[in-house]
Amino acid sequence: MTTTGTRLPLIAGNWKLNLDHLQAIAFVQKLAWSLKDAAVDFDAVEVAVFPPFTDIRSVQTLVSADKLPIAYGAQDVSQHDTGAYTGEISGAFLKALECRYVIIGHSERRTLHAEGDDVVAAKTAAALKHGLVPVICVGETADDLETHGPSAVPVAQLTAALADVAADADIVVAYEPVWAIGSGKAATPEQAEQVAARLREVVAEALGADAAAATRILYGGSVKANNIAGFMRQPNVDGALVGGASLDIQEFSAISRFHQHVGV
Ligand code: 13P
């Protein structure tokens, strides 16, 4: 059993702007083979992919036809249900494609699309309203780290995101230090644990002790097969949100098989 107790570890691949729908079909099929070949125990780990919007229908068709044990979700969702919002995608549409999850507030959305805590909170509410599990991303920049220390910004971001969330809501939190994303310089397992423990306290304050015990907190930022074990040994880290390494089938499959090298 893992150190996360009753929380099912989640290994999530955020593809970002990579792989079209044809590539997605080939990728998910091969990933499923790889996990099956390695006899991955899906009672002990949940594996999820987050393809671009245009791939999701193809992934849904494949996963449902072949009953693949792979979850999927979107990388963003509109805070609106319907209406004159050019380019937006509603949570209702994602639910209709049987998405389980949606990433919200990724640092690339916060930075490149100026999404503030208010938008993140509204998108979290929209996801929950439509029966999607929000994967709420928080994390500090290198400047924040220097100025405010490791937890202040992630704690403030998560507090804002959870302001109007119901105590029984199913959520996932992803701690992604911005300085670790795509940099090849992952946080140390101890750094990830320190912030994850603080974020669990935030969940406890906002949603109560039961929610805090049940909520999975992921680490993201330069996760690879050769460093996943250190993160998964931490009591408050329940999985990983993987970017670059999620686009390499062997690497992502190896990360998903962390039990084989984590020793827990
Ligand atoms: P990398 O794994 O490429 O650092 O990206 C992390 C990330 O942003 C996942 O959402």
Side-chain angles (χ1 to χ4, degrees):
M1 199 53 218
T2 71
T3 49
T4 54
T6 56
R7 297 186 293 272
L8 179 64
L10 172 60
I11 301 296
N14 175 9
W15 294 3
K16 307 191 180 182
L17 182 46
N18 292 286
L19 306 182
D20 67 22
H21 74 288
L22 295 174
Q23 294 168 316
I25 292 168
F27 186 97
V28 172
Q29 184 85 69
K30 286 183 199 154
L31 176 63
W33 286 335
S34 171
L35 297 171
K36 192 168 173 234
D37 273 356
V40 165
D41 176 4
F42 290 99
D43 289 332
V45 63
E46 182 181 12
V47 179
V49 294
F50 292 77
F53 286 128
T54 51
D55 299 3
I56 294 176
R57 175 62 168 167
S58 303
V59 171
Q60 178 206 20
T61 304
L62 174 66
V63 164
S64 124
D66 290 352
K67 299 195 172 39
L68 302 183
I70 293 177
Y72 56 89
Q75 298 172 18
D76 186 27
V77 65
S78 176
Q79 59 187 285
H80 306 290
D81 290 352
T82 185
Y85 301 103
T86 301
E88 295 280 281
I89 302 287
S90 159
F93 302 166
L94 298 177
K95 190 65 186 175
L97 294 177
E98 299 174 308
C99 285
R100 188 176 301 167
Y101 296 104
V102 60
I103 294 172
I104 292 177
H106 190 280
S107 76
E108 287 147 21
R109 300 289 319 170
R110 290 182 190 261
T111 308
L112 303 173
H113 300 268
E115 289 188 7
D117 286 342
D118 51 342
V119 172
V120 172
K123 290 186 171 188
T124 299
L128 291 168
K129 175 179 174 185
H130 292 292
L132 302 162
V133 178
V135 179
I136 304 167
C137 298
V138 298
E140 80 288 356
T141 64
D143 278 354
D144 293 334
L145 184 63
E146 191 137 317
T147 317
H148 307 291
S151 344
V153 167
V155 161
Q157 289 174 336
L158 187 59
T159 304
L162 297 183
D164 291 321
V165 169
D168 62 351
D170 193 1
I171 62 163
V172 172
V173 176
Y175 167 52
E176 298 208 303
V178 180
W179 47 269
I181 295 176
S183 67
K185 282 193 215 146
T188 65
E190 294 72 25
Q191 282 175 308
E193 169 61 19
Q194 186 190 356
V195 179
R198 275 294 292 123
L199 294 175
R200 197 170 301 287
E201 288 171 9
V202 171
V203 178
E205 283 154 26
L207 309 183
D210 289 353
T215 296
R216 290 172 293 176
I217 300 181
L218 316 182
Y219 167 76
S222 297
V223 170
K224 306 273 184 288
N226 67 10
N227 63 16
I228 185 67
F231 296 112
M232 297 310 292
R233 280 192 202 103
Q234 305 305 315
N236 283 291
V237 177
D238 308 312
L241 185 52
V242 186
S246 78
L247 298 168
D248 179 319
I249 290 166
Q250 294 315 319
E251 187 78 8
F252 190 60
S253 172
I255 293 169
S256 302
R257 288 182 271 121
F258 69 89
H259 288 101
Q260 294 173 2
H261 39 116
V262 79
V264 292

